[in-house]
Amino acid sequence: MLLNDYLSKNVELLQGRSVIELGSGVGITGILCSGFCHKFVLTDHNDEVLKIINKNIKLHSCSEDTSPTSHGLVAEKLEWGNKDQINEILQKHPGGFDFILGADIYILIVFNSTFVILELCIRYSMDSMIITEASKHQMHLKEVLGTRTIVGNLEGVIYETTLE
């Protein structure tokens, strides 16, 4: 909810950009962003979830074209750390991505230098252990001012993470 709220209020950040989302769930963020992103790749490791994502992409399509790539949206299988799947995604999208989005990300993964900026929305409070671990991987975390809020009974905040 926090990530989608932030993106809907800051659409200029992603206008015309290519984006990949880690662990897209049913695809709500990608569908929200499809109106202003050039390309949005939704990923998940679960085949059943990928079927739901593709169905939601088709349902969202306003045109007669109901292919899974309507509106710049596409779903890809991605198990974090699976180098074959990462390489396959990079081959399909050789220009890389302007942004990587993720909600409820607790493990930081460095993919490839083609990913310039990593946006993290972490639903629970970020502790010093995660900040220290990110630093070990040459990642700098910076809280986006004004995004710290309570969602349900949990504290949420958006971090911008850059590769050093």
Side-chain angles (χ1 to χ4, degrees):
M1 289 172 33
L2 178 60
L3 179 61
N4 291 338
D5 182 60
Y6 178 76
L7 292 173
S8 68
K9 292 176 181 172
N10 296 281
V11 295
E12 70 283 352
L13 290 175
L14 300 178
Q15 283 184 316
R17 306 291 181 134
S18 60
V19 179
I20 187 168
E21 181 184 18
L22 307 178
S24 300
V26 297
I28 293 169
T29 300
I31 291 169
L32 170 73
C33 294
S34 67
F36 50 89
C37 286
H38 166 67
K39 172 176 53 176
F40 199 105
V41 177
L42 302 112
T43 68
D44 207 280
H45 69 95
N46 185 303
D47 291 327
E48 290 303 313
V49 172
L50 286 167
K51 287 178 189 175
I52 294 169
I53 291 172
N54 280 313
K55 183 176 182 178
N56 286 339
I57 290 171
K58 287 179 185 178
L59 289 171
H60 175 68
S61 174
C62 297
S63 68
E64 292 181 16
D65 174 15
T66 58
S67 71
T69 59
S70 297
H71 301 287
L73 288 168
V74 64
E76 303 282 357
K77 183 174 180 93
L78 178 59
E79 296 172 13
W80 293 4
N82 184 318
K83 290 181 181 181
D84 292 334
Q85 291 173 352
I86 293 169
N87 287 330
E88 186 176 324
I89 289 171
L90 290 173
Q91 286 175 359
K92 289 180 181 178
H93 309 280
F97 301 94
D98 299 309
F99 287 94
I100 302 172
L101 297 179
D104 301 329
I105 304 287
Y106 307 105
I107 300 171
L108 299 172
I109 300 170
V110 177
F111 283 100
N112 184 303
S113 61
T114 59
F115 299 117
V116 178
I117 297 175
L118 173 63
E119 293 280 337
L120 293 177
C121 170
I122 301 181
R123 195 168 64 174
Y124 304 105
S125 296
M126 179 164 292
D127 61 19
S128 62
M129 181 184 78
I130 293 177
I131 294 171
T132 301
E133 195 62 31
S135 179
K136 289 179 186 177
H137 294 283
Q138 290 74 47
M139 301 174 88
H140 175 72
L141 279 74
K142 178 182 170 191
E143 180 175 335
V144 177
L145 296 178
T147 63
R148 188 172 293 274
T149 187
I150 301 296
V151 179
N153 63 344
L154 303 169
E155 184 178 51
V157 63
I158 294 185
Y159 287 90
E160 179 181 278
T161 305
T162 54
L163 299 176
E164 296 175 346

